[in-house]
Amino acid sequence: DQQVKQNSPSLSVQEGRISILNCDYTNSMFDYFLWYKKYPAEGPTFLISISSIKDKNEDGRFTVFLNKSAKHLSLHIVPSQPGDSAVYFCAASAADSNYQLIWGAGTKLIIKP
Amino acid sequence: ETGVTQSPTHLIKTRGQQVTLRCSSQSGHNTVSWYQQALGQGPQFIFQYYREEENGRGNFPPRFSGLQFPNYSSELNVNALELDDSALYLCASRPGGLNNEQFFGPGTRLTVL
C-alpha cells in the first residue's frame, strides 16, 4: 500500500521555464510534507517543507503547494536551471508515528538547455 | 559543523552473512533514522532511534536491528543476509522531538551475492 505516490517517473523541462512536480498521498494523518532532491551517489538533500496548516510555502525559486482536500501537493521551480536536474522525492510524516518519513518513488527532472 | 557521515561507502557480502553499517549524526542531533532504498524506489523507513531508544519501526523483519550510542552515532545490523537486501542504506539525523527536516548521509551501497 503506497501512501505517497509520485506518478511521473520523469519530467523534462526547458531551462528558464517552470518545473511542476506532483505528489499524492492517501493517509489523512500526515501533517508535514517535505521535498528532497537527490543527485547520484549522494544522500537526499532537503529542499522545502510545508505543514498541513498551510497551503503554500515559498523559498526562493521553490514553492510548495498543498491541497488537503485533494490530498495533493506540488513543487514549483521557477525559473528552472541546469543544476536542478536531479531526482525529486516527496515525503510525508505524522506526529502519531514519531515523524518517520514515508516517501514517494521519486521523479527524475531533466532540465534541457 | 560536520554533516552526517556513513561507513563504509560500499560493501559486498554473500547470502547468510551478517553486516554492520555505521552512521555519525550531525552535531546536536539526537534522533537517527535508517532507510533502505532499492533501485528505482523511494527510501523505505527501517527504524528510528531517539536518545538511544528505538521509537519507531517500519515493516522490516527482526534480523534488521540497530543501536544508538551516547554520542548519538548509530549502527544498523542485518543478520542472515538475503539477495533482496541489496540496496542503498541511508542514515538521517535531526534534532529530536520536533517535526523537522532530516539530514542525510551519502549512504552505504550493500550488494549481497
Side-chain angles (χ1 to χ4, degrees), chain A residues 8 14 20-23 29 36 38 43-44 48 56-57 64-65 79 85 92 98-99 109:
Chain A
S8 300
Q14 202 76 33
I20 300 176
L21 297 108
N22 294 302
C23 178
M29 297 302 292
Y36 281 83
K38 188 177 186 303
I48 192 169
K56 178 182 175 182
N57 189 25
V64 56
F65 295 91
S85 295
N98 283 322
Y99 309 122
L109 177 64

XYZ file of all heavy atoms in Angstrom, chain A residues 8 14 20-23 29 36 38 43-44 48 56-57 64-65 79 85 92 98-99 109:
174
model
N 4.731 10.475 -11.889
C 5.580 10.737 -13.058
C 7.009 10.308 -12.757
O 7.686 10.960 -11.970
C 5.565 12.223 -13.404
O 4.274 12.667 -13.710
N 12.346 22.792 -20.262
C 13.305 23.727 -20.856
C 13.866 24.651 -19.782
O 13.126 25.121 -18.886
C 12.591 24.557 -21.917
C 13.488 25.169 -22.953
C 13.960 24.153 -23.978
O 13.234 23.217 -24.313
N 15.166 24.330 -24.463
N 7.041 21.657 -12.626
C 6.000 21.329 -11.647
C 6.050 19.833 -11.383
O 5.831 19.019 -12.281
C 4.595 21.730 -12.148
C 4.550 23.232 -12.414
C 3.529 21.326 -11.115
C 3.236 23.718 -13.006
N 6.364 19.496 -10.138
C 6.419 18.090 -9.733
C 5.255 17.809 -8.791
O 4.981 18.601 -7.884
C 7.747 17.781 -9.045
C 8.970 17.974 -9.952
C 9.765 19.198 -9.541
C 9.847 16.752 -9.910
N 4.582 16.700 -9.016
C 3.364 16.393 -8.278
C 3.523 15.200 -7.346
O 4.343 14.307 -7.590
C 2.219 16.123 -9.256
C 1.842 17.356 -10.040
O 1.490 18.381 -9.471
N 1.899 17.266 -11.367
N 2.679 15.202 -6.324
C 2.730 14.155 -5.309
C 1.322 13.983 -4.728
O 0.659 14.985 -4.428
C 3.726 14.558 -4.220
S 3.878 13.411 -2.843
N -3.695 11.334 8.128
C -2.985 11.685 9.364
C -1.672 12.417 9.090
O -1.074 12.978 9.999
C -2.696 10.431 10.190
C -3.932 9.705 10.666
S -4.991 10.767 11.669
C -3.961 10.996 13.118
N 12.656 16.516 -1.150
C 14.094 16.297 -1.147
C 14.573 16.156 -2.583
O 13.838 15.695 -3.460
C 14.456 15.019 -0.383
C 14.468 15.157 1.115
C 13.292 15.061 1.855
C 15.661 15.384 1.799
C 13.308 15.181 3.235
C 15.688 15.504 3.177
C 14.506 15.397 3.885
O 14.533 15.518 5.256
N 17.841 14.610 -4.917
C 18.924 13.633 -4.801
C 19.721 13.552 -6.098
O 19.166 13.309 -7.168
C 18.374 12.253 -4.445
C 19.459 11.235 -4.119
C 18.870 9.915 -3.697
C 19.950 8.927 -3.230
N 20.983 8.656 -4.221
N 23.395 11.403 -0.693
C 22.154 11.262 0.046
C 21.170 12.354 -0.349
O 21.552 13.366 -0.932
N 19.883 12.172 -0.045
C 18.890 13.207 -0.340
C 19.200 14.506 0.403
O 19.672 14.478 1.539
C 17.574 12.596 0.164
C 17.820 11.124 0.236
C 19.263 10.974 0.578
N 12.492 21.878 0.739
C 11.443 22.734 1.269
C 10.388 21.849 1.925
O 10.251 20.678 1.577
C 10.821 23.603 0.142
C 9.941 24.711 0.708
C 10.076 22.739 -0.875
C 9.529 25.763 -0.335
N 0.623 26.934 1.268
C 1.708 27.376 0.394
C 2.922 27.722 1.235
O 2.800 28.307 2.318
C 1.247 28.596 -0.410
C 2.300 29.206 -1.331
C 1.735 30.445 -2.024
C 2.799 31.152 -2.853
N 2.272 32.384 -3.491
N 4.087 27.379 0.708
C 5.337 27.808 1.333
C 6.341 28.074 0.221
O 6.476 27.296 -0.722
C 5.877 26.731 2.281
C 7.053 27.235 3.096
O 7.198 28.437 3.312
N 7.906 26.339 3.543
N 6.079 25.245 -2.617
C 5.293 24.026 -2.451
C 3.856 24.423 -2.154
O 3.594 25.332 -1.357
C 5.881 23.105 -1.358
C 6.011 23.823 -0.031
C 5.050 21.847 -1.207
N 2.928 23.772 -2.839
C 1.503 23.996 -2.647
C 0.887 22.721 -2.080
O 1.200 21.621 -2.528
C 0.827 24.324 -3.985
C 1.274 25.606 -4.608
C 2.342 25.628 -5.502
C 0.653 26.807 -4.300
C 2.773 26.808 -6.084
C 1.073 28.004 -4.875
C 2.138 28.003 -5.762
N 12.807 30.230 -12.038
C 12.925 29.506 -13.305
C 13.782 28.258 -13.131
O 14.636 28.197 -12.244
C 13.661 30.526 -14.185
C 14.516 31.283 -13.214
C 13.741 31.343 -11.917
N 18.570 19.595 -12.364
C 18.430 18.217 -12.856
C 18.840 17.246 -11.762
O 19.985 17.246 -11.302
C 19.305 18.008 -14.101
O 18.862 18.807 -15.181
N 6.299 12.387 3.477
C 5.277 12.849 4.415
C 5.505 12.211 5.776
O 6.069 11.118 5.871
C 3.888 12.494 3.894
N 5.817 9.264 15.266
C 7.132 9.815 15.612
C 7.853 10.405 14.408
O 9.076 10.380 14.333
C 8.010 8.762 16.268
C 7.622 8.524 17.716
O 7.275 9.462 18.426
N 7.667 7.290 18.146
N 7.081 10.938 13.472
C 7.617 11.689 12.340
C 8.502 10.877 11.407
O 9.358 11.426 10.723
C 8.376 12.929 12.829
C 7.577 13.772 13.794
C 8.054 14.041 15.063
C 6.341 14.283 13.429
C 7.317 14.803 15.949
C 5.606 15.040 14.314
C 6.099 15.299 15.573
O 5.364 16.050 16.456
N 13.922 14.804 -12.780
C 13.755 16.065 -13.506
C 14.971 16.311 -14.381
O 16.105 16.285 -13.900
C 13.562 17.219 -12.534
C 13.440 18.614 -13.133
C 12.197 18.712 -14.003
C 13.411 19.684 -12.045
